[in-house]
Amino acid sequence: MESTNNITEFILLGLCQNKKIKTLCFLLFLFCYIAILGGNMIILISITYSQLVQQPMYFFLNYLALSDLCYTSTVTPKFLSDLIIERNIISYPSCMLQLFTMHFFGGIEILILTVMAYDRYVAICKPLHYTIIMSRGRCQAMVTACCAGAFVHSFFQNLLAISLPLCGHNEMDHYFCDIYPLLTLSCTNTYRVGLLVVANSGMMGLVTFLVLMWSYSFILYTIRAYPAESRRKALSTCSSHVTVVILFFVPVLFIYIRPATTYPEDKVFALFYTILAPMFNPLIYTLRNTEMKNALRKVWCHKLFLFERESYDIHC
């Protein structure tokens, strides 16, 4: 498709136009962003400086926390600044960059969740071969494959966006740049492009979600014969993973699996996977995980002890 573009910037209409509501939203989502930064940084530091980093599940959880940090940071800082200024503008290059980085880190998160489900499948269904199958070299190769797959997905998504001829109005009814709001600004028939977006984003999300649900269903079927204690531990771990998967995938599928249409509710659903899911992930993975809670106590109590000792030495 030949691209004709006379638009150099976009006006983001955001969540709403009411100043009082925007102020409340700013305070609420500022708190959410601080919680995302704090929670995911705590997970990163706790796993990196404990023995958990040697275990594949926590090795992947580390990368999930990192992808959460990067993913939400592609959208939230701009979103927060737009809530407190009058005119919300984003340049065309910045819009394309935001679109690429958001889908890149979002793709990594989706694929990391898939790898984590595979890790739990091997640990529960093939425990005798677990250390061989999930060796450190293979885990690193899986993470590399996740990044490569996310890059390919994001590259094609951006290619579709850049090819759009934009020659109409430049008001985007959203709080960040995404492919469907861009389609509404195009001055040509976007039916084919819409189908390609569904194939690239929607089907990727749907297939991944079905694979995840199948794997966890198979795990639940397998642990029926396990002793009560082993079954309880497996259920606790898998329930955390399933909660994260549902919280992230349901709104993603609502937006990307349908044909190229936009609804006012899209902005609300987008909040779930851009802000709320990254905020709740640290809570979900720590509050129901004994190993993570023990690692948190060991790492942070040790750091607090060292800090107090250094303060005492300085005063002496």
Side-chain angles (χ1 to χ4, degrees):
M1 182 186 298
E2 185 181 352
S3 177
T4 304
N5 184 10
N6 60 5
I7 292 179
T8 59
E9 61 184 25
F10 300 100
I11 299 173
L12 299 174
L13 298 182
L15 286 179
C16 65
Q17 299 301 313
N18 186 293
K19 288 186 177 181
K20 291 184 179 179
I21 295 177
K22 287 177 73 173
T23 302
L24 290 174
C25 286
F26 172 78
L27 295 174
L28 172 63
F29 293 118
L30 177 62
F31 168 79
C32 291
Y33 188 51
I34 293 171
I36 291 168
L37 295 177
N40 285 287
M41 283 300 297
I42 286 172
I43 283 186
L44 280 168
I45 295 170
S46 301
I47 293 176
T48 302
Y49 289 96
S50 70
Q51 296 298 318
L52 292 182
V53 75
Q54 303 299 326
Q55 300 182 34
M57 185 179 83
Y58 297 101
F59 175 80
F60 294 130
L61 180 56
N62 228 13
Y63 281 98
L64 181 68
L66 181 60
S67 66
D68 270 337
L69 281 173
C70 297
Y71 178 59
T72 194
S73 294
T74 64
V75 173
T76 311
K78 169 66 177 169
F79 171 49
L80 289 173
S81 67
D82 287 347
L83 287 171
I84 56 175
I85 60 178
E86 192 69 28
R87 189 171 169 83
N88 309 327
I89 295 174
I90 185 169
S91 67
Y92 181 87
S94 296
C95 180
M96 294 300 108
L97 179 62
Q98 186 181 63
L99 177 65
F100 178 84
T101 53
M102 191 194 76
H103 280 272
F104 175 63
F105 291 115
I108 291 176
E109 181 159 354
I110 286 174
L111 296 174
I112 287 287
L113 286 171
T114 308
V115 169
M116 290 176 74
Y118 176 71
D119 169 72
R120 290 301 84 201
Y121 163 77
V122 176
I124 294 170
C125 301
K126 298 183 179 181
L128 298 179
H129 301 92
Y130 180 71
T131 54
I132 298 173
I133 296 174
M134 301 303 294
S135 64
R136 179 46 58 95
R138 189 163 294 178
C139 290
Q140 290 171 343
M142 288 179 180
V143 171
T144 303
C146 289
C147 295
F151 179 83
V152 172
H153 157 71
S154 189
F155 175 79
F156 280 108
Q157 194 85 322
N158 250 53
L159 201 62
L160 293 173
I162 292 170
S163 68
L164 287 173
L166 304 173
C167 47
H169 66 93
N170 65 339
E171 289 187 346
M172 194 181 298
D173 189 18
H174 217 301
Y175 62 90
F176 64 89
C177 282
D178 203 5
I179 187 68
Y180 278 167
L182 281 170
L183 289 179
T184 63
L185 305 183
S186 178
C187 50
T188 188
N189 190 305
T190 58
Y191 178 75
R192 289 184 180 179
V193 177
L195 290 179
L196 292 173
V197 172
V198 171
N200 187 38
S201 294
M203 291 309 297
M204 175 187 176
L206 180 62
V207 170
T208 306
F209 180 71
L210 292 176
V211 168
L212 288 168
M213 289 297 98
W214 176 86
S215 65
Y216 285 120
S217 299
F218 191 79
I219 288 171
L220 292 175
Y221 176 81
T222 302
I223 64 175
R224 291 184 309 160
Y226 279 35
E229 181 61 26
S230 299
R231 190 165 61 245
R232 185 197 63 77
K233 186 177 179 181
L235 280 172
S236 177
T237 303
C238 291
S239 62
S240 300
H241 291 206
V242 171
T243 303
V244 170
V245 166
I246 292 173
L247 188 62
F248 186 83
F249 274 89
V250 169
V252 166
L253 291 176
F254 173 81
I255 290 177
Y256 292 108
I257 199 61
R258 64 173 190 253
T261 53
T262 58
Y263 300 108
E265 296 83 8
D266 288 354
K267 293 183 284 188
V268 178
F269 275 90
L271 289 172
F272 279 89
Y273 59 83
T274 57
I275 297 176
L276 297 181
M279 182 180 70
F280 285 119
N281 282 358
L283 293 175
I284 293 168
Y285 279 114
T286 53
L287 293 181
R288 303 197 60 178
N289 191 311
T290 305
E291 289 181 321
M292 270 302 304
K293 286 189 283 189
N294 290 336
L296 286 171
R297 279 192 289 267
K298 287 180 181 178
V299 171
W300 294 100
C301 288
H302 178 66
K303 287 186 177 295
L304 182 63
F305 171 76
L306 290 178
F307 176 76
E308 289 178 348
R309 185 174 179 178
E310 286 175 0
S311 300
Y312 175 78
D313 291 341
I314 289 171
H315 288 302
C316 289

